[in-house]
Amino acid sequence: MEVCIDFLNWLDPDISVQILMYLEDPSDLVHVSSVSRSWRDFVIANGLFKHLCLRMFPQLSRVARVMELNKCRAKKPVEVGSSYSMEWESLARDHRVYATLAQVCTSFIFEDCISEAISASSTDHYPDESIHNTLLPAYTWRASYWSSEGQSNPAVPETLIYKLKSEFCVITEINICPFQQHLSSLHIYSSNSVRFRMGHPKGPYDLGSRHLGDSLPCNADDTFIWTYTSPEFPMAQEGCLQNFRLPEPVLCIGGILQIELLGRVQRHEMDGLFYICMSYVQVVGCSLSPTFCVEILEPSGTFVLKNDMQGKSYTPPSLPKNEAQGNKYAVEFIDEYESGEEEDEAEVEYAL
Amino acid sequence: MSSVKKVTLKSSDGEIFEVEETVAMESQTIKGLIEDDCADNAIPLPNVTGHILSLVIQYCKEHTSSSDSNSSKSNEKLKAWDTQFINVDLNVLFDLIMAANYLNVKGLLDLTCQTVADMIKEKTPEQIRAMFNIVNDFTPEEEEEVRRENAWAFEISLKNNNVVDTFEVEESMAKELQTIKNMIEDNYTDSVIPLHNVTSDILELVIEDCKKHVEAAESESEPSYSLASKLIDDPLKA
């Protein structure tokens, strides 16, 4: 018995939306939009791609509006059977931009996302022990590390601030290696725990005018606005590369990441003060630039999501055909920061 | 003899159901009526037929008795029961959706909606249309535009077949390709013909082109072997 069950057209819209919201794969939603005119209109009218992206990245709730840049089409896209209006055009634009964002988010290539170090809350023996050292892979035969200033109170925290590759990055995990003073000693200058924040600069921020690892403490609260705070992770008292995986991938809007080091552990034998020292820091994620860029609207803290249509070509769907494509990704770190071993330079490898 | 309180439900087609109050209260709608003291006589449910109402009551019974124990084992059993329960005709499925909505039985609504979504997952638009008997009212130009807008979604759906990408094609179409035609005529017994020299994207384009040629060949009698062999010989040109 052939009965037409074009349910999008006669079910309660709320129920139809509920059904379609169970679709997690963006390609499924694309197929749904390609079934018929009314189905496509339904997906656009109910902002289903936006909902999909919001579920992936709640950070997108602060999008004020979207924009398309460098649209190369001479004529407007075919308005398939719906009446044209400003509101509809806005919904259709949302549909296109969020569909592209959803697509990009299914084909990540993960890499180190730090572009440069901005500042540390304090630095000992500047510039020898500046934050810049944390970006160099540590060699066990040559001490390269950032050190905080000494404190008699172990509760005094430290922060390290980094600039990421772009203002729109998805971050999945952070790797940190605390500094171990001597290979055979137990003096490991780690912290008790660590927490991460992400955000954007308050107003125009000229990095050029700041020295890397400036000894002047950066008053972070005045300079940056933090829009994401991770849970607190305990840190092991080991001089090896430690992995801190965020509970969910996070969209860093603004491209600034702060590492908060909470609780000092190790006293220096010379002056009896507590120090925190880190050898190496790595932030793993994927930059969504140039396909996407953002403009932060102060003081509301909302932002404009811009899709550069010409930037689209940088993530071709026909990437190298390995199993790491699509929703699967693999980043492998070969950790050779083994304490007590004088060996070759430590290697950190990424495998896609 | 238990003195369990019961309520009477009456379906749209006059069927009467006597149900324990706790079971009936799985429906927030009925719960409201009971609490407002409107449930002395039979509660009329004009939007639900007897057949569907009996199914809803079955669901509620199963889920009421299991709500006491929170062990994970009973959750697993419940899930298995749900899977069995929801294995119904498409028509019945949608009737259940509407009944669950009208009677406000959240668990049943979630289950039925998830089931429909699962049916849509990983299907092409053609398959979705076939399943729900939906008319494709796009013009060919509109459809082309819609597919092109998100071409990535159509490529990937074909690639999701494990490691080796397989394309099921009709034999008449496959024979358009001289190489494959020879293989078939030589009784190549494997069900899957491996094409090591052709990548997935190219193969896709070739297949699309062959489709068009098959359709054209029905009206013309010109064989398209020359084009086909050219495609096989020089896949990059496709």
Side-chain angles (χ1 to χ4, degrees):
Chain A
M1 180 170 62
E2 289 213 343
V3 178
C4 170
I5 312 185
D6 194 345
F7 63 89
L8 278 193
N9 286 328
W10 51 259
L11 262 189
D12 199 1
D14 287 340
I15 302 182
S16 296
V17 168
Q18 179 175 351
I19 292 175
L20 294 181
M21 296 251 277
Y22 282 120
L23 299 174
E24 289 165 349
D25 187 340
S27 0
D28 284 335
L29 204 50
V30 170
H31 294 159
V32 161
S33 322
S34 315
V35 167
S36 72
R37 282 180 180 178
S38 53
W39 278 51
R40 183 167 187 270
D41 288 355
F42 188 88
V43 170
I44 294 178
N46 289 284
L48 287 170
F49 264 113
K50 186 172 178 181
H51 280 300
L52 182 67
C53 289
L54 270 170
R55 285 204 302 282
M56 285 199 281
F57 300 111
Q59 297 83 38
L60 288 169
S61 60
R62 288 178 16 254
V63 172
R65 60 178 187 275
V66 303
M67 266 178 72
E68 287 169 309
L69 308 173
N70 297 324
K71 254 179 95 151
C72 46
R73 280 203 200 99
K75 61 178 172 83
K76 286 203 189 350
V78 176
E79 286 303 323
V80 281
S82 51
S83 60
Y84 179 73
S85 68
M86 290 298 287
E87 198 196 321
W88 184 258
E89 179 51 40
S90 163
L91 285 168
R93 189 169 43 242
D94 273 3
H95 173 81
R96 288 191 295 271
V97 171
Y98 284 108
T100 307
L101 181 57
Q103 176 221 341
V104 166
C105 291
T106 56
S107 51
F108 285 141
I109 301 174
F110 289 101
E111 52 178 0
D112 186 359
C113 276
I114 296 182
S115 148
E116 54 188 284
I118 297 180
S119 74
S121 45
S122 74
T123 307
D124 200 21
H125 299 134
Y126 181 85
D128 296 337
E129 296 174 0
S130 81
I131 185 180
H132 182 72
N133 294 334
T134 60
L135 298 184
L136 310 171
Y139 296 85
T140 51
W141 47 266
R142 171 163 71 86
S144 160
Y145 58 89
W146 159 79
S147 171
S148 71
E149 283 176 350
Q151 294 282 345
S152 47
N153 176 7
V156 175
E158 293 285 340
T159 57
L160 298 170
I161 303 182
Y162 297 90
K163 180 169 186 246
L164 300 177
K165 278 201 159 112
S166 79
E167 295 175 324
F168 204 60
C169 294
V170 173
I171 305 297
T172 52
E173 56 199 285
I174 295 118
N175 296 306
I176 305 177
C177 181
F179 173 63
Q180 183 162 7
Q181 182 156 28
H182 300 292
L183 297 170
S184 51
S185 85
L186 294 171
H187 286 182
I188 301 170
Y189 289 92
S190 122
S191 63
N192 255 328
S193 59
V194 65
R195 185 167 55 201
F196 309 102
R197 292 190 204 271
M198 297 192 216
H200 58 267
K202 220 186 230 181
Y205 181 69
D206 183 12
L207 274 178
S209 65
R210 278 201 87 91
H211 254 286
L212 277 181
D214 204 302
S215 57
L216 291 175
C218 160
N219 196 341
D221 290 336
D222 276 350
T223 327
F224 302 107
I225 294 185
W226 306 116
T227 53
Y228 168 82
T229 304
S230 79
E232 206 175 302
F233 298 88
M235 201 151 190
Q237 309 314 312
E238 287 165 25
C240 63
L241 195 64
Q242 299 179 32
N243 173 261
F244 302 97
R245 193 172 184 85
L246 299 175
E248 296 285 341
V250 174
L251 202 45
C252 175
I253 301 158
I256 308 289
L257 185 140
Q258 178 189 78
I259 301 179
E260 260 186 293
L261 300 158
L262 307 162
R264 297 162 191 257
V265 175
Q266 184 64 50
R267 272 190 218 268
H268 190 68
E269 53 204 358
M270 302 284 275
D271 56 15
L273 297 176
F274 288 98
Y275 288 81
I276 300 180
C277 311
M278 295 291 153
S279 303
Y280 187 56
V281 170
Q282 188 180 55
V283 173
V284 180
C286 179
S287 162
L288 300 184
S289 179
T291 309
F292 285 96
C293 58
V294 296
E295 184 194 322
I296 311 227
L297 306 168
E298 288 300 341
S300 64
T302 57
F303 63 98
V304 181
L305 178 62
K306 300 182 188 177
N307 176 15
D308 189 340
M309 317 278 286
Q310 276 172 13
K312 222 175 186 175
S313 53
Y314 101 107
T315 27
S318 47
L319 276 170
K321 293 174 181 28
N322 50 33
E323 282 95 27
Q325 205 188 332
N327 285 325
K328 301 195 197 87
Y329 56 87
V331 181
E332 277 179 303
F333 296 94
I334 297 173
D335 176 17
E336 292 186 12
Y337 295 105
E338 278 161 343
S339 47
E341 263 185 83
E342 294 228 28
E343 52 177 81
D344 303 330
E345 43 193 84
E347 279 170 34
V348 177
E349 228 182 273
Y350 311 92
L352 289 173
Chain B
M1 294 283 275
S2 64
S3 52
V4 173
K5 231 179 150 200
K6 295 209 172 181
V7 296
T8 312
L9 305 172
K10 184 168 163 189
S11 72
S12 60
D13 45 358
E15 242 183 285
I16 304 283
F17 297 85
E18 238 191 33
V19 186
E20 283 178 26
E21 196 179 84
T22 43
V23 170
M25 300 238 280
E26 287 282 311
S27 152
Q28 296 297 309
T29 307
I30 296 178
K31 180 167 185 268
L33 290 171
I34 294 175
E35 286 170 352
D36 286 348
D37 265 341
C38 303
D40 292 337
N41 304 321
I43 301 177
L45 301 169
N47 293 352
V48 192
T49 63
H51 173 48
I52 298 300
L53 186 53
S54 71
L55 287 172
V56 175
I57 290 170
Q58 250 184 63
Y59 177 89
C60 293
K61 266 194 187 141
E62 189 70 22
H63 281 252
T64 316
S65 59
S66 304
S67 65
D68 294 329
S69 54
N70 280 326
S71 66
S72 59
K73 194 182 178 200
S74 90
N75 273 344
E76 266 174 40
K77 274 192 179 159
L78 203 54
K79 274 208 166 111
W81 187 93
D82 280 352
T83 310
Q84 181 78 346
F85 172 78
I86 212 63
N87 188 10
V88 292
D89 243 353
L90 212 51
N91 289 311
V92 174
L93 183 60
F94 279 97
D95 284 339
L96 278 174
I97 289 182
M98 295 204 287
N101 184 43
Y102 170 65
L103 293 170
N104 202 344
V105 184
K106 185 174 187 302
L108 183 58
L109 187 59
D110 290 348
L111 175 65
T112 45
C113 287
Q114 175 77 65
T115 307
V116 175
D118 289 343
M119 293 169 88
I120 294 177
K121 281 182 187 173
E122 291 181 24
K123 297 271 190 330
T124 64
E126 294 79 13
Q127 288 169 324
I128 298 175
R129 285 181 206 130
M131 188 156 51
F132 297 106
N133 233 328
I134 299 171
V135 173
N136 176 8
D137 56 359
F138 284 126
T139 66
E141 295 80 31
E142 286 171 344
E143 187 161 4
E144 172 81 30
E145 175 65 36
V146 165
R147 285 180 92 99
R148 200 197 344 216
E149 206 173 59
N150 284 303
W152 55 272
F154 295 96
E155 283 186 45
I156 290 176
S157 70
L158 289 163
K159 285 182 168 63
N160 271 344
N161 302 322
N162 306 314
V163 180
V164 173
D165 298 328
T166 52
F167 298 85
E168 285 176 4
V169 295
E170 283 169 57
E171 197 176 276
S172 59
M173 225 176 60
K175 283 189 174 176
E176 286 282 1
L177 303 168
Q178 191 72 357
T179 311
I180 297 180
K181 180 171 186 282
N182 291 337
M183 281 173 151
I184 293 173
E185 286 172 7
D186 287 348
N187 286 326
Y188 192 101
T189 50
D190 238 71
S191 54
V192 178
I193 298 176
L195 299 166
H196 300 297
N197 293 346
V198 191
T199 63
S200 296
D201 325 276
I202 303 301
L203 185 54
E204 208 180 299
L205 289 167
V206 169
I207 289 173
E208 263 181 48
D209 210 281
C210 290
K211 267 188 195 154
K212 291 181 191 161
H213 278 273
V214 167
E215 283 155 23
E218 275 162 24
S219 40
E220 303 165 22
S221 54
E222 231 182 275
S224 36
Y225 295 137
S226 54
L227 178 64
S229 58
K230 185 181 166 198
L231 287 169
I232 282 290
D233 290 342
D234 195 358
L236 288 173
K237 274 210 164 178

